[in-house]
Amino acid sequence: MTTLDEVRTFIRDLPDTATVASLQEAATSRLLALDEARRPVITPGRTGQINSGIRPAALRGLTGTVQQPNRTGTRFDFLLTEEATTRLRHRQDPDNPRFTIPDDVKRYRLVKVPATCIELDDPADS
């Protein structure tokens, strides 16, 4: 197997920018494949939590069930648990609520939550 030092020497000795660019494209492709392999598969029915990367902050940490994706699979509807629905209802500014949740709604559906903001409960099963 080639060592990292040998690879670095090989790259340093490449003759021109086109060759280096070709190598860079291959490395980028490999990085994307490795990253995708580590990413959990988000499918409807899986349970999870909204992570700290989302805005507004009132949605952070809420739990629920993944619902249907958008056309590109980059956003999902997310059905909150009863507890999370209650938390969201009370986290908002009462004078200017972003989400209107009627009192009789037990599980509120958030629409178009970015896939990058959903952490699944059981990523080992993905």
Side-chain angles (χ1 to χ4, degrees):
M1 181 158 182
T2 307
T3 67
L4 187 57
D5 284 338
E6 291 171 332
V7 170
R8 286 184 175 142
T9 301
F10 173 78
I11 292 169
R12 188 179 50 245
D13 294 340
L14 290 174
D16 54 45
T17 57
T19 307
V20 173
S22 176
L23 179 73
Q24 186 177 23
E25 286 177 16
T28 299
S29 176
R30 179 67 178 137
L31 284 171
L32 290 171
L34 288 170
D35 184 50
E36 182 146 337
R38 287 189 356 206
R39 211 174 299 147
V41 177
I42 298 177
T43 55
R46 294 191 71 180
T47 58
Q49 177 175 335
I50 298 175
N51 68 26
S52 61
I54 198 163
R55 288 188 186 195
L59 299 178
R60 294 174 184 162
L62 297 179
T63 56
T65 306
V66 175
Q67 303 291 291
Q68 71 270 4
N70 67 352
R71 242 178 342 113
T72 61
T74 57
R75 293 178 178 266
F76 290 82
D77 287 1
F78 195 77
L79 184 63
L80 298 177
T81 62
E82 288 185 34
E83 178 187 339
T85 299
T86 300
R87 285 175 43 206
L88 179 58
R89 189 181 282 125
H90 297 294
R91 277 184 180 178
Q92 300 183 80
D93 178 357
D95 297 326
N96 186 20
R98 172 120 184 229
F99 302 96
T100 305
I101 306 171
D103 290 336
D104 64 335
V105 171
K106 300 223 183 276
R107 297 189 73 191
Y108 186 72
R109 181 186 302 268
L110 297 170
V111 295
K112 299 181 183 176
V113 175
T116 57
C117 294
I118 298 173
E119 293 179 2
L120 299 173
D121 287 341
D122 51 359
D125 295 339
S126 60

Coordinates of all heavy atoms in Angstrom, one line a residue, residues 44-95:
P44 N -39.5 8.7 5.4 CA -40.7 8.9 6.2 C -40.9 7.7 7.2 O -40.6 6.6 6.9 CB -41.8 8.9 5.1 CG -41.1 9.3 3.9 CD -39.7 8.7 4.0
G45 N -41.4 8.1 8.4 CA -41.6 7.2 9.5 C -40.5 7.1 10.5 O -40.7 6.6 11.6
R46 N -39.3 7.6 10.2 CA -38.2 7.5 11.1 C -38.4 8.7 12.1 O -38.9 9.7 11.8 CB -36.9 7.7 10.4 CG -36.6 6.4 9.6 CD -35.3 6.3 9.1 NE -34.3 6.0 10.2 CZ -33.0 5.9 10.0 NH1 -32.5 6.0 8.8 NH2 -32.2 5.6 11.0
T47 N -38.0 8.4 13.4 CA -38.2 9.4 14.4 C -36.8 10.1 14.6 O -35.8 9.6 14.3 CB -38.6 8.8 15.8 OG1 -37.7 7.8 16.2 CG2 -40.0 8.2 15.6
G48 N -36.9 11.4 15.1 CA -35.7 12.1 15.3 C -36.0 13.4 16.0 O -37.0 13.7 16.6
Q49 N -34.9 14.3 15.9 CA -34.9 15.5 16.6 C -34.4 16.6 15.6 O -33.5 16.3 14.8 CB -34.0 15.4 17.8 CG -33.9 16.7 18.6 CD -33.1 16.4 19.9 OE1 -33.0 15.3 20.4 NE2 -32.4 17.4 20.4
I50 N -34.9 17.8 15.8 CA -34.4 18.9 15.0 C -33.2 19.5 15.7 O -33.2 19.8 16.9 CB -35.5 20.0 14.8 CG1 -36.7 19.4 14.1 CG2 -34.9 21.2 14.1 CD1 -37.8 20.4 14.0
N51 N -32.0 19.6 15.0 CA -30.8 20.0 15.6 C -30.6 21.5 15.8 O -31.5 22.3 15.4 CB -29.6 19.3 14.9 CG -29.4 19.9 13.5 OD1 -29.8 21.0 13.2 ND2 -28.8 19.1 12.6
S52 N -29.5 21.9 16.3 CA -29.3 23.3 16.6 C -29.0 24.2 15.4 O -28.8 25.4 15.5 CB -28.1 23.4 17.6 OG -26.9 22.9 17.0
G53 N -28.9 23.6 14.2 CA -28.6 24.3 13.0 C -29.8 25.0 12.4 O -29.7 25.8 11.4
I54 N -31.0 24.9 12.9 CA -32.2 25.4 12.3 C -32.5 26.8 12.9 O -32.1 27.1 14.0 CB -33.4 24.4 12.5 CG1 -34.5 24.8 11.5 CG2 -33.9 24.4 13.9 CD1 -35.5 23.7 11.3
R55 N -33.2 27.5 12.1 CA -33.8 28.8 12.6 C -35.2 28.7 12.2 O -35.6 28.2 11.1 CB -33.1 30.0 11.9 CG -31.7 30.2 12.4 CD -31.2 31.5 11.8 NE -29.8 31.6 12.3 CZ -29.1 32.6 12.2 NH1 -29.6 33.7 11.7 NH2 -27.8 32.7 12.6
P56 N -36.1 29.2 13.0 CA -35.9 30.0 14.2 C -35.5 29.0 15.4 O -35.8 27.8 15.3 CB -37.3 30.6 14.5 CG -38.3 29.7 13.9 CD -37.5 29.1 12.6
A57 N -34.9 29.6 16.4 CA -34.4 28.9 17.5 C -35.5 28.1 18.3 O -35.2 27.1 18.9 CB -33.7 29.8 18.5
A58 N -36.7 28.5 18.2 CA -37.8 27.8 18.9 C -38.0 26.4 18.4 O -38.5 25.6 19.1 CB -39.1 28.6 18.7
L59 N -37.4 26.0 17.2 CA -37.6 24.7 16.7 C -36.5 23.7 17.2 O -36.6 22.5 17.1 CB -37.6 24.7 15.2 CG -38.7 25.5 14.5 CD1 -38.5 25.5 13.0 CD2 -40.0 25.0 14.9
R60 N -35.4 24.3 17.7 CA -34.3 23.5 18.1 C -34.6 22.5 19.3 O -35.2 22.9 20.2 CB -33.1 24.4 18.6 CG -32.6 25.2 17.4 CD -31.6 26.2 17.8 NE -31.2 27.0 16.7 CZ -30.6 28.2 16.8 NH1 -30.2 28.7 18.0 NH2 -30.3 28.9 15.7
G61 N -34.2 21.2 19.0 CA -34.5 20.2 20.0 C -35.8 19.6 20.0 O -36.1 18.6 20.8
L62 N -36.7 20.0 19.1 CA -38.0 19.4 19.1 C -38.0 18.0 18.5 O -37.2 17.8 17.5 CB -39.0 20.3 18.3 CG -39.3 21.7 18.9 CD1 -40.2 22.5 18.0 CD2 -39.8 21.6 20.3
T63 N -38.8 17.1 18.9 CA -38.8 15.7 18.5 C -40.0 15.4 17.7 O -41.1 16.1 17.8 CB -38.7 14.7 19.6 OG1 -39.8 15.0 20.5 CG2 -37.4 14.9 20.4
G64 N -39.9 14.4 16.8 CA -41.1 14.0 16.0 C -40.8 12.9 15.0 O -39.8 12.2 15.2
T65 N -41.6 12.8 14.0 CA -41.5 11.8 13.0 C -41.4 12.4 11.6 O -42.1 13.3 11.3 CB -42.8 10.9 13.0 OG1 -43.0 10.4 14.3 CG2 -42.7 9.7 12.0
V66 N -40.4 11.9 10.9 CA -40.2 12.4 9.5 C -41.4 12.0 8.6 O -41.9 10.9 8.7 CB -38.9 11.8 8.9 CG1 -38.7 12.2 7.5 CG2 -37.7 12.2 9.7
Q67 N -41.9 13.0 7.9 CA -43.0 12.8 7.0 C -42.5 12.8 5.5 O -41.3 12.6 5.3 CB -44.1 13.8 7.2 CG -44.6 13.8 8.6 CD -45.4 12.6 9.0 OE1 -46.5 12.4 8.5 NE2 -44.8 11.8 9.8
Q68 N -43.3 13.2 4.6 CA -42.9 13.1 3.2 C -41.8 14.2 2.8 O -41.8 15.2 3.4 CB -44.1 13.3 2.2 CG -44.7 14.6 2.2 CD -45.8 14.8 3.2 OE1 -46.1 13.9 4.0 NE2 -46.4 16.0 3.2
P69 N -41.0 13.8 1.9 CA -39.9 14.8 1.4 C -40.5 15.7 0.3 O -41.5 15.4 -0.3 CB -38.9 13.9 0.8 CG -39.7 12.7 0.3 CD -40.8 12.5 1.2
N70 N -39.7 16.8 0.1 CA -40.1 17.6 -1.1 C -39.6 16.9 -2.3 O -39.1 15.8 -2.3 CB -39.5 19.0 -0.9 CG -38.0 19.0 -1.0 OD1 -37.3 18.0 -1.0 ND2 -37.4 20.2 -1.0
R71 N -39.7 17.5 -3.5 CA -39.4 16.9 -4.8 C -37.9 16.4 -4.8 O -37.6 15.4 -5.4 CB -39.6 17.9 -5.9 CG -40.6 17.5 -6.9 CD -40.8 18.5 -8.0 NE -40.4 19.9 -7.8 CZ -39.4 20.5 -8.4 NH1 -38.8 19.9 -9.3 NH2 -39.1 21.7 -8.1
T72 N -37.0 17.2 -4.2 CA -35.6 16.9 -4.3 C -35.1 16.1 -3.2 O -33.9 15.7 -3.2 CB -34.8 18.2 -4.4 OG1 -35.0 19.0 -3.3 CG2 -35.2 19.0 -5.7
G73 N -35.9 15.9 -2.1 CA -35.5 15.1 -1.0 C -34.5 15.9 -0.1 O -33.8 15.3 0.8
T74 N -34.5 17.2 -0.2 CA -33.6 18.0 0.6 C -34.3 18.6 1.9 O -33.7 19.1 2.8 CB -33.0 19.2 -0.2 OG1 -34.1 20.0 -0.7 CG2 -32.1 18.7 -1.3
R75 N -35.7 18.5 1.8 CA -36.5 19.0 2.9 C -37.6 18.0 3.2 O -38.1 17.4 2.3 CB -37.1 20.4 2.6 CG -36.0 21.5 2.5 CD -36.7 22.8 2.2 NE -35.7 23.9 2.1 CZ -35.4 24.7 3.2 NH1 -36.0 24.6 4.3 NH2 -34.4 25.5 3.1
F76 N -38.0 17.9 4.5 CA -39.0 17.0 4.8 C -40.1 17.7 5.7 O -39.7 18.6 6.5 CB -38.4 15.8 5.6 CG -37.6 14.9 4.8 CD1 -36.3 15.2 4.5 CD2 -38.1 13.7 4.3 CE1 -35.5 14.4 3.8 CE2 -37.3 12.9 3.6 CZ -36.0 13.2 3.3
D77 N -41.3 17.2 5.6 CA -42.3 17.6 6.6 C -41.9 16.8 7.9 O -41.4 15.7 7.8 CB -43.7 17.3 6.2 CG -44.2 18.3 5.1 OD1 -43.4 19.2 4.7 OD2 -45.3 18.1 4.7
F78 N -42.2 17.4 9.1 CA -41.8 16.8 10.3 C -43.0 16.9 11.3 O -43.4 18.0 11.6 CB -40.6 17.5 10.8 CG -39.8 16.8 11.9 CD1 -39.0 15.7 11.6 CD2 -39.9 17.2 13.2 CE1 -38.3 15.1 12.6 CE2 -39.2 16.6 14.2 CZ -38.4 15.5 13.9
L79 N -43.6 15.8 11.7 CA -44.7 15.8 12.6 C -44.2 15.7 14.0 O -43.6 14.7 14.5 CB -45.6 14.6 12.3 CG -46.9 14.5 13.1 CD1 -47.8 15.7 12.8 CD2 -47.6 13.2 12.7
L80 N -44.4 16.8 14.8 CA -44.0 16.9 16.1 C -44.7 15.9 17.1 O -45.9 15.7 16.8 CB -44.1 18.3 16.7 CG -43.3 19.4 15.9 CD1 -43.6 20.8 16.5 CD2 -41.8 19.1 16.0
T81 N -44.0 15.5 18.1 CA -44.7 14.7 19.1 C -45.7 15.7 19.9 O -45.6 16.9 19.7 CB -43.7 14.1 20.1 OG1 -43.0 15.2 20.8 CG2 -42.7 13.2 19.5
E82 N -46.5 15.1 20.7 CA -47.4 15.9 21.5 C -46.6 16.9 22.4 O -47.0 18.1 22.6 CB -48.4 15.1 22.3 CG -49.5 14.4 21.5 CD -50.5 13.7 22.3 OE1 -50.8 14.1 23.4 OE2 -51.0 12.6 21.8
E83 N -45.6 16.3 23.1 CA -44.8 17.1 24.0 C -44.1 18.3 23.2 O -44.1 19.4 23.7 CB -43.8 16.2 24.7 CG -42.8 17.0 25.6 CD -41.7 16.2 26.2 OE1 -41.8 14.9 26.2 OE2 -40.7 16.8 26.6
A84 N -43.5 18.0 22.1 CA -42.8 19.0 21.3 C -43.8 20.0 20.8 O -43.5 21.2 20.7 CB -42.1 18.3 20.1
T85 N -45.0 19.6 20.4 CA -46.0 20.6 20.0 C -46.4 21.6 21.1 O -46.4 22.8 20.9 CB -47.3 19.8 19.5 OG1 -47.0 19.0 18.4 CG2 -48.4 20.8 19.1
T86 N -46.5 21.0 22.3 CA -46.8 21.9 23.5 C -45.6 22.8 23.7 O -45.8 24.0 24.0 CB -47.1 21.0 24.7 OG1 -48.2 20.2 24.4 CG2 -47.4 21.9 25.9
R87 N -44.4 22.3 23.6 CA -43.2 23.1 23.9 C -43.1 24.3 22.8 O -42.9 25.4 23.2 CB -41.9 22.3 23.8 CG -41.8 21.4 25.1 CD -40.6 20.5 25.0 NE -39.4 21.1 24.5 CZ -38.4 20.3 23.9 NH1 -38.6 19.0 23.8 NH2 -37.3 20.9 23.4
L88 N -43.4 24.0 21.6 CA -43.4 25.0 20.5 C -44.5 26.0 20.8 O -44.2 27.2 20.6 CB -43.5 24.4 19.1 CG -43.5 25.3 18.0 CD1 -42.2 26.2 18.0 CD2 -43.7 24.6 16.7
R89 N -45.6 25.6 21.2 CA -46.7 26.5 21.4 C -46.4 27.5 22.5 O -46.7 28.7 22.4 CB -48.0 25.7 21.8 CG -49.2 26.5 21.9 CD -50.4 25.6 22.4 NE -50.9 24.8 21.3 CZ -51.0 23.5 21.3 NH1 -50.7 22.8 22.4 NH2 -51.5 22.8 20.3
H90 N -45.6 27.1 23.5 CA -45.2 27.9 24.6 C -43.9 28.7 24.5 O -43.6 29.6 25.2 CB -45.3 27.2 25.9 CG -46.6 26.6 26.2 ND1 -47.7 27.4 26.5 CD2 -47.1 25.4 26.3 CE1 -48.8 26.7 26.7 NE2 -48.5 25.4 26.6
R91 N -43.1 28.2 23.5 CA -41.8 28.9 23.3 C -41.9 30.2 22.5 O -40.9 31.0 22.5 CB -40.9 28.0 22.5 CG -40.2 26.9 23.3 CD -39.2 26.2 22.4 NE -38.5 25.1 23.1 CZ -37.7 24.3 22.5 NH1 -37.5 24.4 21.2 NH2 -37.1 23.4 23.2
Q92 N -43.0 30.4 21.8 CA -43.1 31.5 21.0 C -43.5 32.8 21.7 O -44.1 32.8 22.7 CB -44.1 31.2 19.9 CG -43.8 30.0 19.0 CD -44.8 29.9 18.0 OE1 -44.7 30.5 16.9 NE2 -45.7 29.0 18.2
D93 N -43.2 33.9 21.1 CA -43.7 35.2 21.6 C -45.2 35.2 21.4 O -45.7 35.2 20.3 CB -43.0 36.3 20.8 CG -43.4 37.7 21.2 OD1 -44.3 37.8 22.0 OD2 -42.9 38.7 20.6
P94 N -45.9 35.4 22.5 CA -47.4 35.3 22.4 C -48.0 36.5 21.5 O -49.0 36.4 20.9 CB -47.9 35.4 23.8 CG -46.7 35.8 24.6 CD -45.5 35.5 23.8
D95 N -47.2 37.6 21.5 CA -47.7 38.7 20.7 C -47.4 38.6 19.2 O -48.0 39.3 18.4 CB -47.1 40.0 21.3 CG -47.6 40.3 22.7 OD1 -48.7 40.0 23.0 OD2 -46.8 40.8 23.5

